[in-house]
Amino acid sequence: MKSCLFCRIVSGEVKSDIIYENDVLIVFKDIHPIAPVHVLIVPKKHFSHLVEMVESEEGRTVLNDITKVLPDIVRSAGLENRGFRLVNNCKEEGGQTVPHVHFHLIGGKSLSRELP
Ligand code: 5GP
Ligand code: ZN
């Protein structure tokens, strides 16, 4: 999608600090990190949000692909010996600001047990 920020990051048109990449996803540093480690796991194919993604066979396959390489992503983020939080904000009311599905991988410090 030409107008989508994360599609433009995937294509390389918008620069990002990529820490991991394979055929189906890229992982890059969040521009406004909320913790010492804050990266975004982003499927290369455009799905607007998580529900749209899992409603399609292809999206479910991509989600499965993400789970398969999660240990590699965690290692690339330097979190292999630590805990972390994996977050998806789904749609506007869920706090999603970029309408291209993504997962926040957050860590590098002790995180509050409280969820908003
Ligand atoms: P959401 O609010 O949709 O769950 O997360 C979007 C995230 O994308 C935010 O944490 C925001 O800081 C990050 N972000 C927005 N624009 C850019 C950008 O141009 N580059 C990078 N690397 N991150 C961005
Ligand atoms: Zn997109």
Side-chain angles (χ1 to χ4, degrees):
M1 263 233 276
K2 270 200 181 337
S3 61
C4 170
L5 173 62
F6 284 180
C7 283
R8 292 168 72 210
I9 287 179
V10 165
S11 73
E13 186 191 335
V14 173
K15 291 266 163 296
S16 67
D17 197 343
I18 297 171
I19 67 149
Y20 180 92
E21 180 170 12
N22 67 17
D23 287 351
V24 293
L25 62 91
I26 63 169
V27 184
F28 55 86
K29 293 183 180 176
D30 195 292
I31 205 165
H32 295 126
I34 62 165
V37 176
H38 184 176
V39 295
L40 302 172
I41 303 171
V42 179
K44 289 187 172 177
K45 185 173 168 64
H46 182 93
F47 300 97
S48 296
H49 52 72
L50 183 60
V51 174
E52 183 187 288
M53 183 184 190
V54 300
E55 273 173 348
S56 81
E57 183 77 45
E58 189 183 5
R60 288 193 293 276
T61 300
V62 173
L63 191 60
N64 194 35
D65 290 340
I66 292 173
T67 65
K68 275 193 262 181
V69 296
L70 187 63
D72 298 330
I73 295 171
V74 166
R75 211 171 296 117
S76 298
L79 293 174
E80 62 275 21
N81 297 315
R82 310 189 61 152
F84 57 83
R85 185 166 292 161
L86 188 63
V87 174
N88 170 254
N89 296 326
C90 189
K91 301 197 245 182
E92 198 175 343
E93 193 174 344
Q96 184 176 1
T97 58
V98 178
H100 177 130
V101 71
H102 54 279
F103 299 88
H104 298 252
L105 176 66
I106 299 160
K109 70 171 188 181
S110 193
L111 299 169
S112 158
R113 294 174 65 86
E114 287 166 34
L115 289 174

